Amino acid sequence: MVFTTSKPLRFGDCDPSGIAYFPSYLDILVGVLEDFFTSLGFPWRAMNEVRRMSVPTVRLDLTFRSPGFQGDRLDFALAVRAIGRSSLDLEHTVSRGDTVLWTARHRIVATSLDTNTSLAWPDDIRAALTHHLETAHAHHPAT
Amino acid sequence: MVFTTSKPLRFGDCDPSGIAYFPSYLDILVGVLEDFFTSLGFPWRAMNEVRRMSVPTVRLDLTFRSPGFQGDRLDFALAVRAIGRSSLDLEHTVSRGDTVLWTARHRIVATSLDTNTSLAWPDDIRAALTHHLETAHAHHPAT
Amino acid sequence: MVFTTSKPLRFGDCDPSGIAYFPSYLDILVGVLEDFFTSLGFPWRAMNEVRRMSVPTVRLDLTFRSPGFQGDRLDFALAVRAIGRSSLDLEHTVSRGDTVLWTARHRIVATSLDTNTSLAWPDDIRAALTHHLETAHAHHPAT
Amino acid sequence: MVFTTSKPLRFGDCDPSGIAYFPSYLDILVGVLEDFFTSLGFPWRAMNEVRRMSVPTVRLDLTFRSPGFQGDRLDFALAVRAIGRSSLDLEHTVSRGDTVLWTARHRIVATSLDTNTSLAWPDDIRAALTHHLETAHAHHPAT
């Protein structure tokens, strides 16, 4: 029940050394996070415009293990680790086939677009995140 | 003797929530690292093409404290923390005036473009990095 | 027989004015062109590394008609218009549902990575492009 | 009296073929346009937030003549060609030393952030653009 999705690594995501340019990896990662929220029923455009909230990143610890090359298929696995009042802790694993390319621990915070300060997760978003976390634990009790 | 430089945060670096898009911050950070190597006498084009080496990022721990806005002047301070056989540990502090916006601990590794494996820092680059580190310590003995 | 594909317009592709940032559109467009070559049997990584060639853009005339918003599904239609010795003329139409958002006339040129000068299309790539163009005309004689 | 500025072409702006990735050129170009408005006294953050207007691109005709390489210094020259009710026609020339790398004809339109429709240039912005255009003609009568 980890959220998974695949993305191509493109020519334009790579640099003159021939491997993935890591800021492009993070642009792709934000798209994966956006897909995750959409999969829960909360596309960001409505979150931004109707609820006047966003989910900026406050911590991100990245480990790059193996280089990615143009044309690779990147398999993303996103796991929810903890849900706070306004924070959400995630763990990402990004692989090409059996090879883990990079991993990340990631904290985002629900934030008001009007005040740029944190706010408690709205009940419906919290419920969806909690359901996702509990379903994941039920299926993978050892994680 | 910390390496410092300033960069504008542009309209195109910000997102629909009105604040800096963090992958754009990291694109700017790579440019700062490139400027640092140029300041030591080692522009990346020659490193890539003549020496057949690059300096990919293997670890990056990011903490975002306060949002950046379009038009902000970002002051970057890059400090060398440790020089290994093929690695280099850096610490970045990014501020707008007196406000620290974000910080990073950053490890890069000297890497062969031909084999994609690490290589020892060439003597002249090691000497320049060591000189930079020692000069910094001489001027800021408490750091 | 026009080549078509869809791409999401992401939060990170939009700017503080709330609409698509046009350089991000062009990053997406390069990915569409990459997909087109892959669909013909010529993924760019092999073209770059084995044949030592690339297909840089030499002309691009863009008309932006209507703004795109985060979360939009962009429908790309790529048509081959003319095949020269080393050039390829394309036309792109990018829509959201029935609304054309932007169009482009686009010329790329087969180029040697070793000399940065143009080269004639290799026979197999020319044959695939010609087949694509002729099939398109057979199916859409009026276009 | 053409507006001129220089920008570095960075490692991260180049692609695996070793030359500038053209969408990155356009990201840099938007920054040059932003600098131009700032030089006239109209930074975009205030235009966006106080006046609720932006200046999206509606036409852009690009010609890429010669490849750019990482480490190049790009010299931008921006000339105002015509000022309409809500449009502005610009011409860009981008060079490395004596070599023109690329040129662009560029139309932007003053646009309301609230309605996404065009609006007449505010008087003070029109006056500054007109002054810039007339001063340029006085100094370069043949252009």
Side-chain angles (χ1 to χ4, degrees):
Chain A
M1 282 301 291
V2 164
F3 177 76
T4 60
T5 186
S6 295
K7 306 284 177 189
L9 184 66
R10 301 197 164 282
F11 174 78
D13 297 320
C14 296
D15 65 33
S17 73
I19 65 171
Y21 182 60
F22 84 80
S24 294
Y25 269 153
L26 301 180
D27 184 46
I28 298 169
L29 185 74
V30 175
V32 169
L33 186 63
E34 190 176 352
D35 288 350
F36 171 64
F37 274 84
T38 299
S39 78
L40 296 179
F42 304 104
W44 283 1
R45 185 176 177 188
M47 280 174 63
N48 291 176
E49 296 183 359
V50 179
R51 297 176 191 244
R52 302 286 303 150
M53 66 179 286
S54 67
V55 289
T57 291
V58 296
R59 287 294 311 273
L60 186 66
D61 293 350
L62 295 153
T63 303
F64 299 99
R65 297 191 194 178
S66 192
F69 299 95
Q70 54 165 314
D72 284 353
R73 192 185 81 151
L74 304 176
D75 296 321
F76 285 80
L78 175 163
V80 173
R81 289 302 179 211
I83 307 168
R85 192 193 74 95
S86 59
S87 67
L88 183 68
D89 286 311
L90 305 165
E91 207 166 295
H92 304 279
T93 306
V94 185
S95 308
R96 178 190 57 227
D98 292 336
T99 304
V100 173
L101 301 185
W102 53 284
T103 59
R105 294 190 304 166
H106 190 183
R107 174 173 287 181
I108 62 176
V109 169
T111 298
S112 161
L113 289 184
D114 296 313
T115 63
N116 277 307
T117 55
S118 67
L119 44 78
W121 288 110
D123 287 345
D124 54 351
I125 299 181
R126 172 181 298 280
L129 291 169
T130 302
H131 179 74
H132 181 89
L133 179 60
E134 289 174 351
T135 314
H137 275 206
H139 284 245
H140 298 283
T143 58
Chain B
M1 281 302 292
V2 164
F3 177 77
T4 58
T5 186
S6 295
K7 305 283 177 191
L9 184 66
R10 301 198 163 282
F11 174 78
D13 297 320
C14 296
D15 65 34
S17 74
I19 66 170
Y21 181 60
F22 84 81
S24 294
Y25 269 153
L26 301 180
D27 184 45
I28 299 170
L29 186 74
V30 175
V32 169
L33 186 63
E34 190 175 353
D35 288 350
F36 172 64
F37 273 85
T38 299
S39 79
L40 296 179
F42 305 104
W44 282 2
R45 186 176 177 188
M47 280 174 63
N48 290 176
E49 297 184 358
V50 179
R51 298 178 190 242
R52 302 288 302 148
M53 67 178 285
S54 67
V55 289
T57 292
V58 296
R59 289 293 311 272
L60 187 66
D61 293 350
L62 295 153
T63 303
F64 298 99
R65 298 192 193 177
S66 192
F69 300 95
Q70 54 164 314
D72 283 355
R73 191 186 83 150
L74 303 176
D75 296 320
F76 285 79
L78 176 163
V80 172
R81 289 303 180 208
I83 307 169
R85 191 192 75 95
S86 60
S87 68
L88 183 68
D89 286 312
L90 304 165
E91 207 166 295
H92 304 280
T93 306
V94 185
S95 308
R96 177 190 58 228
D98 292 336
T99 304
V100 174
L101 301 184
W102 53 285
T103 58
R105 293 191 304 165
H106 191 182
R107 174 173 287 180
I108 62 177
V109 169
T111 299
S112 161
L113 289 184
D114 296 313
T115 63
N116 277 307
T117 55
S118 67
L119 44 78
W121 289 110
D123 287 344
D124 54 350
I125 299 181
R126 173 180 297 280
L129 292 169
T130 303
H131 179 75
H132 181 88
L133 179 59
E134 290 174 351
T135 313
H137 276 205
H139 284 245
H140 299 284
T143 58
Chain C
M1 281 302 291
V2 164
F3 177 76
T4 58
T5 186
S6 296
K7 305 284 176 189
L9 184 67
R10 301 197 164 282
F11 173 78
D13 296 321
C14 298
D15 64 34
S17 73
I19 66 170
Y21 182 59
F22 84 81
S24 294
Y25 269 154
L26 301 180
D27 184 46
I28 298 170
L29 185 75
V30 174
V32 169
L33 186 63
E34 190 175 353
D35 288 350
F36 172 63
F37 273 86
T38 299
S39 79
L40 296 179
F42 304 105
W44 283 1
R45 185 175 177 188
M47 280 175 62
N48 292 175
E49 296 184 359
V50 179
R51 297 176 191 245
R52 302 288 302 150
M53 66 179 287
S54 67
V55 290
T57 291
V58 296
R59 287 295 311 272
L60 187 65
D61 292 350
L62 295 153
T63 303
F64 298 99
R65 298 192 193 178
S66 192
F69 299 95
Q70 54 164 314
D72 283 354
R73 192 186 82 150
L74 304 176
D75 296 322
F76 285 81
L78 175 162
V80 173
R81 290 302 180 210
I83 307 169
R85 191 192 75 95
S86 59
S87 67
L88 183 68
D89 286 311
L90 305 166
E91 207 167 294
H92 303 280
T93 306
V94 186
S95 308
R96 177 191 58 228
D98 292 336
T99 304
V100 173
L101 301 185
W102 54 284
T103 59
R105 292 191 306 166
H106 190 183
R107 174 173 287 180
I108 62 176
V109 169
T111 299
S112 161
L113 289 185
D114 296 314
T115 64
N116 277 308
T117 56
S118 68
L119 45 78
W121 288 111
D123 287 345
D124 54 351
I125 299 181
R126 173 181 298 278
L129 292 169
T130 303
H131 179 75
H132 180 88
L133 179 60
E134 290 174 350
T135 314
H137 277 205
H139 285 245
H140 299 284
T143 58
Chain D
M1 281 301 291
V2 164
F3 177 77
T4 60
T5 187
S6 296
K7 305 284 177 189
L9 184 66
R10 301 198 164 282
F11 173 79
D13 296 321
C14 297
D15 64 34
S17 74
I19 65 170
Y21 182 61
F22 84 80
S24 294
Y25 269 154
L26 301 180
D27 184 45
I28 298 170
L29 186 74
V30 175
V32 169
L33 186 63
E34 189 176 354
D35 288 349
F36 171 64
F37 273 85
T38 299
S39 78
L40 296 179
F42 304 104
W44 282 2
R45 186 176 177 189
M47 280 175 63
N48 291 177
E49 297 184 358
V50 179
R51 298 177 190 243
R52 302 288 301 151
M53 66 178 287
S54 67
V55 290
T57 291
V58 296
R59 287 294 311 271
L60 187 66
D61 293 350
L62 294 154
T63 303
F64 298 99
R65 298 192 192 178
S66 192
F69 298 95
Q70 55 164 315
D72 283 354
R73 191 186 82 151
L74 304 176
D75 296 321
F76 285 80
L78 176 163
V80 172
R81 290 302 180 210
I83 307 169
R85 191 192 74 95
S86 59
S87 66
L88 183 67
D89 286 311
L90 304 166
E91 207 167 294
H92 304 279
T93 306
V94 185
S95 308
R96 177 192 56 227
D98 292 336
T99 304
V100 173
L101 300 185
W102 54 284
T103 58
R105 293 191 305 166
H106 190 183
R107 175 173 286 181
I108 62 176
V109 170
T111 299
S112 161
L113 289 184
D114 296 312
T115 64
N116 276 307
T117 55
S118 68
L119 44 78
W121 288 110
D123 288 345
D124 54 350
I125 299 182
R126 172 181 298 280
L129 292 169
T130 302
H131 179 75
H132 180 88
L133 179 60
E134 290 174 350
T135 314
H137 276 205
H139 284 245
H140 299 283
T143 58

